[in-house]
Amino acid sequence: MYKFIARVVYGILGVNGSKAKVYGKENIPKEGGFVVACTHNGYIDILNLGISMLPKEVHFMAKKQLFDVKGLGWLITRLNAFPVDRDNPGPSVIKIPRQLIKEGKVVGIFPSGTRSSENSELKAGAVTIAQLAKTEILPAAYIGPKNAKGVFKRQKGYLIYGKPFTVGAGKEGREQSVQFLEDELNRLTAHLKEMHPEVK
């Protein structure tokens, strides 16, 4: 189901010119599971990230409320999304992604570009998962259409991957990596905007 829907999305975004031009694809780890942390400002970024990694499949961490929306819950489950209760996080917040990474799969986490307590928690979550799973974090940034309206207006999209990094040991390692991840996401976003100032 994932690859079928991915091909459909690939076709739709390609026809409309909104399939993201990808930079730094050589930075995607060739083997094993890892965490990809990508900036987030809509849902087209998630779609573009997903198709840019094919044939790898991304397992998306998503708010549990999305699974309660009629039709949407069914769809995103088949797109490898798994629910997370951000208001009352339990062991599954760490357990599920750790198991996926152990199985050699990719876990996608999407903090937005804005500073907020939720985004700080998502970045810290990405770092903690990577540290406990003893794997790398691949930072990524996206600019372009945010929703279907932007796609139908044929807005261009751009995606860039930074270099993967590992998390240092202990609390200090986590704190340093959270700051590094935030700085890297900001740097990658700024780099994309510098290359494509026409994208608002």
Side-chain angles (χ1 to χ4, degrees), residues 30-35 55-59 80 82 94-107 129 132-135:
K30 302 294 187 292
E31 297 178 351
F34 59 90
V35 175
K56 291 182 184 292
E57 296 185 13
V58 182
H59 295 256
N80 294 344
F82 59 94
I94 301 295
K95 185 178 179 181
I96 293 173
R98 278 187 73 185
Q99 182 59 38
L100 289 168
I101 292 166
K102 185 178 178 181
E103 294 169 3
K105 295 172 181 173
V106 181
V107 171
I129 290 165
L132 293 174
K134 296 181 174 60
T135 193

Side-chain angles (χ1 to χ4, degrees), residues 53-90:
M53 281 210 173
L54 288 171
K56 291 182 184 292
E57 296 185 13
V58 182
H59 295 256
F60 302 105
M61 182 180 284
K63 292 188 293 188
K64 74 165 192 171
Q65 292 86 342
L66 296 177
F67 293 82
D68 297 329
V69 179
K70 190 175 180 180
L72 180 61
W74 179 89
L75 177 63
I76 63 178
T77 298
R78 281 150 186 81
L79 289 175
N80 294 344
F82 59 94
V84 172
D85 187 346
R86 292 180 186 167
D87 297 322
N88 299 290

Side-chain angles (χ1 to χ4, degrees), residues 43-180:
Y43 59 86
I44 303 301
D45 46 20
I46 297 175
L47 299 178
N48 264 312
L49 183 102
I51 63 176
S52 77
M53 281 210 173
L54 288 171
K56 291 182 184 292
E57 296 185 13
V58 182
H59 295 256
F60 302 105
M61 182 180 284
K63 292 188 293 188
K64 74 165 192 171
Q65 292 86 342
L66 296 177
F67 293 82
D68 297 329
V69 179
K70 190 175 180 180
L72 180 61
W74 179 89
L75 177 63
I76 63 178
T77 298
R78 281 150 186 81
L79 289 175
N80 294 344
F82 59 94
V84 172
D85 187 346
R86 292 180 186 167
D87 297 322
N88 299 290
S92 64
V93 173
I94 301 295
K95 185 178 179 181
I96 293 173
R98 278 187 73 185
Q99 182 59 38
L100 289 168
I101 292 166
K102 185 178 178 181
E103 294 169 3
K105 295 172 181 173
V106 181
V107 171
I109 300 177
F110 296 87
S112 77
T114 59
R115 284 178 177 269
S116 70
S117 58
E118 180 177 309
N119 290 316
S120 295
E121 288 170 6
L122 286 170
K123 288 165 191 162
V127 166
T128 300
I129 290 165
Q131 186 186 54
L132 293 174
K134 296 181 174 60
T135 193
E136 297 176 305
I137 298 180
L138 176 67
Y142 168 88
I143 60 172
K146 301 176 177 64
N147 50 39
K149 183 178 179 182
V151 171
F152 289 122
K153 284 185 174 181
R154 297 180 176 272
Q155 293 176 356
K156 302 292 184 184
Y158 302 93
L159 177 67
I160 186 169
Y161 290 105
K163 292 188 180 298
F165 66 95
T166 54
V167 180
K171 182 180 178 183
E172 184 178 353
R174 287 195 303 274
E175 290 174 348
Q176 289 175 347
S177 292
V178 169
Q179 186 60 56
F180 179 81

